[in-house]
Amino acid sequence: MTDFESTASLMTPSRLASLSAKPAGSPAFWQDPTTGDIGRTQLQHLVELHTALGSAELECDLVPLRTALTELLAAHSGLDFDLLQSHGWLARALGKARSAGAEFSAQAERLTDLSKGAHAALLDAQKLHGDRTTRTERLLLDMDVEHRALEQLVEHGARWLQDMRQQLQQRHAAAANDPQEQQRIRAEASRCEALVVRLKALRSLAGAVGPFVHQYRAVLTGRNRMLQTLSQALPGALRAWQPRISALATAAEDGEGATLSLEGPREVHQALGTQAGHALAEVEDLQNRSDAMRQQHLEIAQQLKASLAA
């Protein structure tokens, strides 16, 4: 038994059991009048797996994380360090410095809250992805097994057709004066043509499912890698940013912001913006790829439905 056969027997025993009475490689399998249902067992399993995969993917939406990062960046660009520039004695006497400091502090507080929200959204996405990854990988493995079984079925059918057509040619030449045999030959030739149509449809479907599984695995791997990277980089930038800006905001509320150096806070603020911007770009790219996979998922669902109805 090959590795593939071993895997197939473990993953979908019911499918192999249903075919054990008449293996696809045997002539009886293809001569059976009911073989208009060729590939139906694999198709039914693919429909079940494909439907389960769609449900798992809907549960791994990255929209909440993208929204949190978008809001974070909007607030990040709105933190106005110019409010802490030096004020003249009249402005200080009138309390304008303290008022500007309070405005800066409010901006910093909102940004802090949004930063915590983005971090929480990242943790949620990471947990959700981690919880679903094993199940999704198993579904993809099962789909790959069924798709390869479908390919093998098509290969067996193509070989059988080639042999059968040669036999029909020989029988046709030998039965030139036998009308009944000629009628049987025409009936079998018609069946062969119907089988050609069926096998072409199955081959087309298998040709779509294989790349879909491969691309889906690539998206899954990319999502896992991205979330792992962000889980280290984004919290690190937040840890560097929060104490520096918090201290500055406290001083600003007391009207002493202008007495502090802004160089360090500006640097950590810029670093946070850069990291959040990179994170958003990666999330949007992956979300776009996931959306494309959902579209492919719908297209394959239509192909599966059409193949089952044929």
Side-chain angles (χ1 to χ4, degrees):
M1 178 179 288
T2 65
D3 290 341
F4 170 73
E5 290 169 336
S6 177
T7 302
S9 66
L10 290 172
M11 301 309 296
T12 53
S14 59
R15 174 180 60 78
L16 295 181
S18 67
L19 297 180
S20 60
K22 290 184 179 180
S26 68
F29 177 85
W30 302 102
Q31 291 170 351
D32 191 328
T34 63
T35 51
D37 286 341
I38 286 173
R40 185 167 297 274
T41 301
Q42 289 84 359
L43 290 174
Q44 288 173 339
H45 280 100
L46 280 172
V47 167
E48 294 170 3
L49 295 167
H50 191 258
T51 301
L53 188 65
S55 299
E57 174 59 25
L58 288 175
E59 295 172 351
C60 290
D61 200 346
L62 292 174
V63 169
L65 178 56
R66 181 174 61 181
T67 300
L69 289 171
T70 300
E71 293 176 349
L72 170 61
L73 280 170
H76 178 275
S77 62
L79 187 62
D80 188 3
F81 284 89
D82 289 342
L83 291 170
L84 304 181
Q85 297 298 326
S86 298
H87 298 276
W89 66 269
L90 181 59
R92 291 194 297 273
L94 295 175
K96 291 184 177 180
R98 188 178 296 273
S99 175
E103 183 177 351
F104 178 86
S105 179
Q107 293 175 357
E109 183 178 0
R110 170 170 167 71
L111 183 52
T112 298
D113 291 340
L114 290 174
S115 298
K116 292 177 180 178
H119 188 205
L122 173 59
L123 293 177
D124 289 343
Q126 190 174 24
K127 182 179 185 303
L128 187 61
H129 175 75
D131 292 344
R132 302 294 186 275
T133 294
T134 301
R135 179 190 175 204
T136 302
E137 287 177 344
R138 185 180 299 114
L139 290 171
L140 290 172
L141 176 60
D142 286 2
M143 284 190 71
D144 196 33
V145 169
E146 295 295 347
H147 133 260
R148 291 178 184 274
L150 203 58
E151 287 183 331
Q152 286 190 349
L153 190 67
V154 171
E155 290 175 4
H156 284 306
R159 287 197 295 269
W160 183 87
L161 277 171
Q162 185 177 12
D163 294 341
M164 189 61 180
R165 281 172 167 169
Q166 291 176 353
Q167 294 178 24
L168 290 176
Q169 290 176 354
Q170 295 172 358
R171 288 168 57 191
H172 178 75
N177 299 320
D178 188 343
Q180 291 184 346
E181 178 64 11
Q182 288 286 351
Q183 184 176 358
R184 283 193 293 269
I185 292 172
R186 285 193 295 271
E188 292 181 23
S190 176
R191 168 165 167 67
C192 286
E193 292 305 316
L195 189 56
V196 167
V197 174
R198 179 65 172 175
L199 292 178
K200 283 184 176 179
L202 293 179
R203 176 172 289 168
S204 175
L205 178 62
V209 171
F212 171 79
V213 170
H214 176 75
Q215 293 172 22
Y216 203 115
R217 281 174 172 157
V219 170
L220 198 65
T221 300
R223 183 186 296 161
N224 184 49
R225 185 185 302 114
M226 179 204 70
L227 291 174
Q228 286 182 342
T229 300
L230 292 187
S231 67
Q232 297 176 3
L234 187 59
L238 288 172
R239 284 193 298 269
W241 177 88
Q242 200 277 330
R244 299 295 296 271
I245 300 302
S246 178
L248 188 60
T250 299
E253 282 188 301
D254 295 336
E256 300 175 359
T259 64
L260 300 178
S261 171
L262 300 182
E263 182 177 356
R266 284 183 185 273
E267 288 179 356
V268 294
H269 186 68
Q270 182 178 359
L272 175 61
T274 299
Q275 184 57 55
H278 288 163
L280 180 59
E282 290 187 23
V283 169
E284 288 181 336
D285 177 67
L286 192 58
Q287 187 67 45
N288 290 336
R289 292 171 62 191
S290 297
D291 291 343
M293 290 305 303
R294 287 191 180 93
Q295 181 59 38
Q296 290 187 40
H297 185 276
L298 291 175
E299 293 171 358
I300 290 180
Q302 293 173 353
Q303 285 185 265
L304 285 168
K305 182 179 179 180
S307 297
L308 276 175

